[in-house]
Amino acid sequence: MFTSRVLRFPRKPFSELDYARHMPKEYVERMKRTVPRKVFDERFGAPAITSWTLHPEDYVPTHKRPWEDRKLQESLERADKYRSAIFDALKNKRLPDIEWTFFPGDLVQVMVGKDKGRQGTILSVSRDTNEVLVDGLHTILGEDMENSERYGVDKTFRWQEQPLSVDKKHVMLVDPNDEEPCEAKWQLNGKGDEYIRVSLKSGYEIPVPTQAYVTYDYVQPENYIEVEGKGHASGFGLAKNLHADFIFFRRRNKGKVRNC
């Protein structure tokens, strides 16, 4: 006769002792907001993709219980920011180089807002967000220096340019032929050795402004001087950079400062 033995595994109290052991796991995860919004599994054999309300790795644990009012509110806000960050990343997809036609110094026309129909010069561009700032247009009154009172300086305000979206056509280039808004594209020149920017409306070339070539290293490429150390310009190169900064300052503050 054979006797069977019952295998008994040692009890593991440490795996049972948890503050939420009396609550359903699904409830705790729902309070943390770390639950899937949707699972995309019909992908013809490819691994499923989970869209999270808040990804478990982005949940920030604290001493508060997930279902307490304050912690729950924090989790809700964090989940909203998580979703917003995903949509912003999709929304702000960088345009390919061949589709980007806006550069500092370009004459453009604002197509939205209180300055709709007015023309101005691009101050700067942001390729990552597909946005531009136009000098003196689409502005709001903002604090010139944050927390200035901490340094004993009176609070001052100035008009600050706000970004205009290129892919949403909030701003458009000005056609050099009739000075009306237009779209542009890149095409090969007659020699076939360089791409030039032309208006889709008239076919006229829109030259790239010299300001587009200005960098922190040199004013113009042909004026760049190779120096030892690279990070510290000297002599003529430094003088050119300081001169460019001074000219830019005077243009931005035209009528506000006296001639030196």
Side-chain angles (χ1 to χ4, degrees), residues 219-232:
V219 179
Q220 297 293 333
E222 60 270 18
N223 295 333
Y224 179 66
I225 298 178
E226 191 73 36
V227 294
E228 186 177 356
K230 292 292 283 186
H232 304 281

Side-chain angles (χ1 to χ4, degrees), residues 3-230:
T3 59
S4 60
R5 294 183 180 181
V6 177
L7 296 178
R8 296 183 180 274
F9 293 98
R11 187 183 173 207
K12 300 177 181 178
F14 49 82
S15 63
E16 302 173 2
L17 297 178
D18 181 68
Y19 70 89
R21 64 184 180 276
H22 61 290
M23 291 187 174
K25 181 179 179 181
E26 292 78 8
Y27 172 78
V28 177
E29 297 300 326
R30 192 164 63 250
M31 293 297 100
K32 291 180 178 180
R33 313 305 295 167
T34 54
V35 292
R37 291 175 63 93
K38 187 174 182 180
V39 178
F40 302 90
D41 53 1
E42 297 180 359
R43 303 185 66 234
F44 303 100
I49 297 177
T50 302
S51 174
W52 295 91
T53 304
L54 175 63
H55 198 282
E57 294 181 359
D58 292 323
Y59 176 75
V60 179
T62 66
H63 192 71
K64 300 183 182 69
R65 306 306 191 213
W67 49 82
E68 292 182 11
D69 290 342
R70 185 174 298 180
K71 182 58 181 177
L72 178 58
Q73 185 62 32
E74 291 177 1
S75 296
L76 289 171
E77 293 175 356
R78 193 170 183 84
D80 289 339
K81 291 180 180 179
Y82 176 78
R83 298 294 298 173
S84 299
I86 293 177
F87 285 122
D88 288 344
L90 296 174
K91 178 176 61 178
N92 295 329
K93 186 176 181 180
R94 177 178 171 134
L95 290 175
D97 292 345
I98 193 65
E99 297 180 15
W100 185 261
T101 56
F102 291 79
F103 300 95
D106 273 331
L107 181 63
V108 295
Q109 181 167 317
V110 177
M111 310 303 294
V112 296
K114 61 184 179 66
D115 291 319
K116 181 178 180 179
R118 296 183 62 186
Q119 296 182 355
T121 304
I122 293 180
L123 282 177
S124 64
V125 303
S126 172
R127 292 294 311 277
D128 291 334
T129 59
N130 304 321
E131 295 173 330
V132 301
L133 297 180
V134 182
D135 189 14
L137 300 180
H138 198 61
T139 58
I140 62 171
L141 190 62
E143 192 173 346
D144 193 22
M145 184 176 71
E146 295 183 359
N147 301 320
S148 58
E149 295 176 342
R150 293 175 54 185
Y151 305 100
V153 180
D154 293 336
K155 185 178 295 187
T156 57
F157 297 86
R158 67 177 179 88
W159 293 103
Q160 300 173 352
E161 291 84 1
Q162 300 302 298
L164 288 160
S165 174
V166 169
D167 50 358
K168 294 180 180 178
K169 293 183 173 53
H170 291 171
V171 62
M172 297 185 72
L173 290 168
V174 173
D175 193 313
N177 181 45
D178 56 9
E179 297 184 352
E180 293 293 328
C182 71
E183 296 185 52
K185 68 174 183 178
W186 295 98
Q187 71 177 32
L188 284 172
N189 60 10
K191 297 180 180 180
D193 59 357
E194 184 180 359
Y195 278 89
I196 59 175
R197 190 174 51 161
V198 298
S199 167
L200 290 177
K201 183 178 180 182
S202 65
Y204 274 66
E205 179 183 354
I206 307 177
V208 176
T210 56
Q211 188 176 339
Y213 297 100
V214 174
T215 75
Y216 291 105
D217 294 325
Y218 47 74
V219 179
Q220 297 293 333
E222 60 270 18
N223 295 333
Y224 179 66
I225 298 178
E226 191 73 36
V227 294
E228 186 177 356
K230 292 292 283 186

